[in-house]
Amino acid sequence: MTKKYEFPTQFFWGASTSATQSEGTEKGDGKGQNIWDYASQHYNHRFYDGVTTEHTSHFYKDYQQDIQLMADIDFNSFRTSISWSRLIPDGVGEVNQEAVIFYNQVIDELIAKKIEPFINLYHFDMPMKLQEIGGFENRDVIAAYKKYAETCFALFGDRVKYWFTFNEPMIPAEAGYLHDRHYPYVVDFKRAATVLHHIILAHCEAVKSFRQLELDSKIGIIMDVIPVYPRSQNPADLKAAEMADLFYTRSINEPILLGHYPAELKPILTAYHQMPAILENDLDLIASTEIDLLGINYYKPRRVKALDYEPNKAGIFSPEWFFDNYEMPGRRMNTSRGIEIYPQGIYDIAMTIKEKYGNIDWFVSENGIGIQGEEAFIENDRVEDDYRIDFLKEHLVWLHQAIADGSNCLGYHMWTFVDCWSWINAYKNRYGFYRLDLETGKKTVKKSGLWFKSVSQNNGFD
Ligand code: BGP
């Protein structure tokens, strides 16, 4: 029977997570520390309720059961990441054989359950040994990442058909080196720009290595193409929006998707002495790298207005010298997370990809709603999360419209499969299709999980 909102055949339905947020550690697993293991122990006060990475949803131990739970609600695809510091504990040396066994089992189990594995190589989780030499600020780490990527392709490339180099490549630079949210908690624009440039080069190197293998699979990257909306059509607001877009979106999207940095960036960074070192062949490498598939994480729009006050330019250089964030009156909020909900944004992103980025194949790689205090919605042992179903529906309706208008969208992954540990917020906000009981570890499907199952089964909804 046709559905009112029917999606293209072989549409990917599933969810995403990351290694650090789901695996946990077990005695004797041979995993090396990454920056999150380190930061959640040594800067424990920065994490909600002081929960460390040891207390995640135990995918390392429970992967078989978890994959069965995914199959129970009809996922046909699932994204997770490989933990670099699990596979190569010091980031560059010996491969940890326990990790090889684990990831082989995960991949095989997913395939056996007819769930396509989407494998990402880097989700914010620099091995601590490499962070000690500067992480992505140090050019040598590009070569270490390339070697790590090649190791993954060699070990798992025979079965993994969808690879991704990075999740949200802007975030390690912006949150770790400019806005004091992620370790190493540096606040320095030029260092952030250096990290971003090196991440882009690492992405290019991994894609280059991948191409040489001529595998029958695709490679891409997971990004945010955050739509920017000006407060008004006043030229000052429009200029502010242009600057926010330039710094936070185009500076990463254009090198990855168009093969060059936006021309406007260099004169500004040079004038303010913030230009990172770019070596002779870097721009050629960027220009010659193409991806096959783009993942887009969409949570919120960015609303912008002209500055209320002149910034103090004696302070640390910041993109916020050129615009203010705008709190639109009447905006619809997810108050748990403190972000605006704007389903139409997904349509606007699709049209930007279509018009500006060659209508490349893409999929929604994350979208979801984190809610604090979800236990208040438990009835008869089930979270009755109608608000999540409404959220999903509204976004899917806009996505459906985008596809009707010619967007090459291949799938939709919700964040996330089971309530997971989150950077900074730990377990404050729950996002999963399954509820995780932190005391017992029990995972129970929510109403939204059952709704999603029917959507996947019917490839759409009414
Ligand atoms: C994305 C990250 C995810 C996930 C999600 C939810 O940006 O890729 O790893 O954490 O945001 O955000 P948060 O956990 O901060 O609420």
Side-chain angles (χ1 to χ4, degrees), residues 86-252:
R86 180 183 293 289
L87 191 67
I88 306 177
D90 67 0
V92 280
E94 292 290 302
V95 170
N96 168 17
Q97 292 309 321
E98 294 299 316
V100 176
I101 294 170
F102 168 63
Y103 289 118
N104 270 327
Q105 286 171 337
V106 167
I107 292 163
D108 291 346
E109 190 70 18
L110 284 166
I111 293 171
K113 292 270 160 23
K114 300 199 170 22
I115 298 172
E116 191 71 55
F118 282 35
I119 299 295
N120 174 32
L121 297 175
Y122 190 91
H123 199 124
F124 307 167
D125 53 348
M126 179 60 68
M128 200 55 207
K129 283 281 179 214
L130 293 179
Q131 188 62 47
E132 284 165 9
I133 60 162
F136 275 120
E137 212 178 338
N138 180 342
R139 261 189 103 97
D140 292 346
V141 172
I142 301 172
Y145 173 85
K146 179 183 165 75
K147 189 176 155 217
Y148 156 62
E150 287 169 352
T151 306
C152 293
F153 301 148
L155 287 168
F156 314 116
D158 57 333
R159 284 152 294 153
V160 174
K161 301 291 175 212
Y162 297 92
W163 289 97
F164 300 91
T165 55
F166 284 86
N167 177 76
E168 298 183 355
M170 172 62 87
I171 296 296
E174 179 263 315
Y177 291 83
L178 186 61
H179 288 152
D180 192 36
R181 298 201 313 275
H182 292 184
Y183 189 80
Y185 309 125
V186 170
V187 180
D188 183 322
F189 182 91
K190 190 172 175 183
R191 292 176 66 183
T194 303
V195 169
L196 185 66
H197 180 58
H198 290 172
I199 288 177
I200 293 168
L201 296 179
H203 157 82
C204 295
E205 291 289 2
V207 173
K208 202 163 95 185
S209 297
F210 179 84
R211 298 285 180 228
Q212 281 161 3
L213 294 171
E214 297 186 350
L215 294 167
D216 173 26
S217 42
K218 294 184 189 300
I219 193 157
I221 190 166
I222 308 287
M223 303 222 282
D224 26 3
V225 178
I226 300 183
V228 180
Y229 302 98
R231 170 178 56 183
S232 74
Q233 294 303 303
N234 180 296
D237 284 340
L238 292 177
K239 182 70 194 166
E242 210 178 276
M243 294 304 270
D245 199 35
L246 175 66
F247 276 105
Y248 287 124
T249 309
R250 292 178 56 211
S251 62
I252 177 69

Side-chain angles (χ1 to χ4, degrees), residues 18 21 79 123-124 167-168 171 297 299 337 366 415 422-423 425 429 431:
S18 78
Q21 293 175 274
R79 170 170 66 106
H123 199 124
F124 307 167
N167 177 76
E168 298 183 355
I171 296 296
N297 296 348
Y299 290 93
R337 187 63 177 80
E366 287 182 29
W415 184 269
S422 173
W423 331 102
N425 281 327
N429 303 320
Y431 281 90

Side-chain angles (χ1 to χ4, degrees), residues 253-317:
N253 292 341
E254 293 192 8
I256 299 282
L257 296 167
L258 300 180
H260 55 77
Y261 284 109
E264 302 92 311
L265 212 48
K266 192 172 172 185
I268 303 172
L269 297 190
T270 308
Y272 287 99
H273 310 289
Q274 299 297 324
M275 198 54 200
I278 294 187
L279 304 191
E280 215 186 309
N281 296 323
D282 291 358
L283 297 180
D284 290 342
L285 179 62
I286 292 172
S288 61
T289 305
E290 273 186 38
I291 58 165
D292 307 311
L293 178 64
L294 176 66
I296 293 291
N297 296 348
Y298 176 64
Y299 290 93
K300 58 171 194 282
R302 185 191 291 282
R303 296 196 191 273
V304 163
K305 62 179 181 179
L307 289 171
D308 282 339
Y309 303 101
E310 267 302 296
N312 172 10
K313 292 197 173 163
I316 294 166
F317 177 84

